[in-house]
Amino acid sequence: MNKLFDYFILTIGSIIVAVGLELILAPNSLVDGGVTAIAIMINAVSKFPIWITFVILNIPSLYVAGKYMGKKFVIRTLYANVITTIALINMAPFPAITTSEVLIVLYGGLLLGVGIGLVVKAGGAVDGTEMIAIWINKKYHIPISKFLLLINAVILSVAAFVFSLEQAMFSIAVFFIVSKTIDFVLDGINQGKSVMIISEKPEEIGQQLIDELGMSITYLHGVGGYSNQEVHIIYCITDRFRYPKLKEVVLSIDSSAILEASFVTETTGVKSKALFRINQKSVDDGE
C-alpha cells in the first residue's frame, strides 16, 4: 500500500508540474529554472515542443544521478518524467489559464513547488537539475533549494535576453516561490515541536500531559550545572496546535517551569501512548 501511495503521489505531483508549466508559465513567457526553463525558452525561440526538449535534456541527468541514487530513484524518476511528458503533450493545445501577472507568479510558483516537492518526497525527480540537486544533497548535505538557486541563477539571466528584463524579474519571483514551496512540502508538512521541560514537579506534569493530552513523553535524568542536583527533565514531541495547550498545562502546575521548544522537520511515532524512561546523564547549563 505504501508503494502504491508513493506512485499516486508521483502521478499527482507530475501532473501538477505539467499544469504549471504548460498552462501558466510557458504561454506567458515566464520560466522557473532548470531543464523546464530551458525547454520553455527553446519553445519561445523556435516553437520546438516543450516536452521534446524536456525529455532530451533529462536523459543525461537521469543517467548520471542513477549511478549514485540507486534503482528505486531511477524507476520513480523515469515514471514521473513519463507522466509529466504525457501531461505536457495533452495540455499543449489548451490556452493559458490566466494572463494576470500576479496570478501567474503566485500560482505558477505554487503549482510547480507543490508538484516538484511531492515528486521528490515520493522518491523521484522531475527536472534534471533536481536530480543532481538530490544527489548533491545526499552526498554533501547541501539543501536542495540552495543548490537549485545557484544553478538557476545563470539560466534566469539568460531568460532576460530571450524574453525581457521584466519577464526575467517575474521569473525570479516565480523561482523564489517554487524554492520555498519545495522546502515546505519536504519539511513543513510533518513539522512539529520538540519540547524540553525543567520543573520541580516533573512527575506531576508528565502524568498530566499523558492523561490530558495523550502525549508520549521521556524522562531524562539531568544534573544542574550550578546546583549539581539531580533533576528529571521531560522531553516530548508535539505539533504546533497542541503546544499552547501543553504550555498551559505545564505552567498551571508549576509557574516557574522552564520550557524550551524547537521546530523539528521529521517526526514519527508522535501519537504513541507509551511512556519511556531512560537513565541518561546530561548537563543543563541553564539550571
Side-chain angles (χ1 to χ4, degrees), residues 16-281:
I16 291 175
V17 169
V19 171
L21 287 175
E22 195 67 68
L23 300 184
I24 297 181
L25 296 184
N28 294 290
S29 299
L30 291 182
V31 297
D32 69 305
V35 168
T36 55
I38 297 173
I40 290 173
M41 288 189 285
I42 291 176
N43 174 260
V45 173
S46 64
K47 302 302 178 183
F48 199 65
I50 293 176
W51 70 269
I52 295 180
T53 307
F54 176 80
V55 171
I56 292 174
L57 294 181
N58 271 343
I59 290 175
S61 299
L62 180 59
Y63 174 75
V64 172
K67 294 174 64 177
Y68 300 95
M69 302 298 293
K71 182 180 178 181
K72 178 180 177 180
F73 174 80
V74 174
I75 293 174
R76 296 192 177 199
T77 298
L78 186 59
Y79 175 82
N81 275 255
V82 169
I83 297 299
T84 303
T85 300
I86 293 173
L88 287 172
I89 294 173
N90 284 280
M91 293 177 188
F94 294 95
I97 294 175
T98 180
T99 56
S100 167
E101 293 171 342
V102 174
L103 294 179
I104 293 167
V105 172
L106 180 59
Y107 285 97
L110 285 175
L111 284 174
L112 258 70
V114 169
I116 292 170
L118 289 175
V119 171
V120 173
K121 199 170 186 67
V126 175
D127 193 286
T129 52
E130 294 161 30
M131 302 176 204
I132 303 300
I134 293 172
W135 172 69
I136 292 291
N137 175 258
K138 284 186 175 290
K139 190 166 185 177
Y140 301 106
H141 306 292
I142 297 174
I144 292 174
S145 60
K146 288 185 178 180
F147 178 81
L148 290 175
L149 183 62
L150 292 173
I151 201 71
N152 286 310
V154 176
I155 296 174
L156 292 172
S157 298
V158 174
F161 294 95
V162 175
F163 300 118
S164 67
L165 181 59
E166 184 181 57
Q167 296 301 93
M169 293 170 67
F170 279 125
S171 295
I172 291 173
V174 170
F175 182 73
F176 177 79
I177 295 174
V178 170
S179 300
K180 292 303 178 183
T181 306
I182 290 173
D183 284 343
F184 175 76
V185 172
L186 294 179
D187 299 328
I189 291 178
N190 291 324
Q191 197 174 71
K193 276 192 172 184
S194 64
V195 184
M196 297 191 74
I197 305 167
I198 303 172
S199 170
E200 295 180 354
K201 304 175 181 178
E203 278 76 17
E204 186 178 345
I205 291 175
Q207 194 61 48
Q208 192 68 16
L209 292 177
I210 295 170
D211 295 341
E212 189 170 339
L213 299 181
M215 298 186 62
S216 169
I217 68 173
T218 298
Y219 286 119
L220 305 177
H221 289 282
V223 178
Y226 178 76
S227 66
N228 203 34
Q229 294 181 350
E230 290 192 358
V231 293
H232 276 175
I233 301 172
I234 300 172
Y235 176 78
C236 59
I237 297 176
T238 185
D239 54 54
R240 289 171 290 181
F241 305 104
R242 287 200 297 174
Y243 175 71
K245 181 62 178 177
L246 178 150
K247 184 177 179 181
E248 179 186 330
V249 169
V250 172
L251 296 181
S252 68
I253 297 174
D254 183 2
S255 59
S256 62
I258 299 172
L259 288 86
E260 185 277 330
S262 306
F263 280 112
V264 292
T265 58
E266 186 66 31
T267 59
T268 57
V270 176
K271 295 183 179 179
S272 171
K273 300 300 178 67
L275 173 62
F276 301 97
R277 294 177 181 267
I278 62 174
N279 294 318
Q280 175 180 327
K281 291 291 183 180

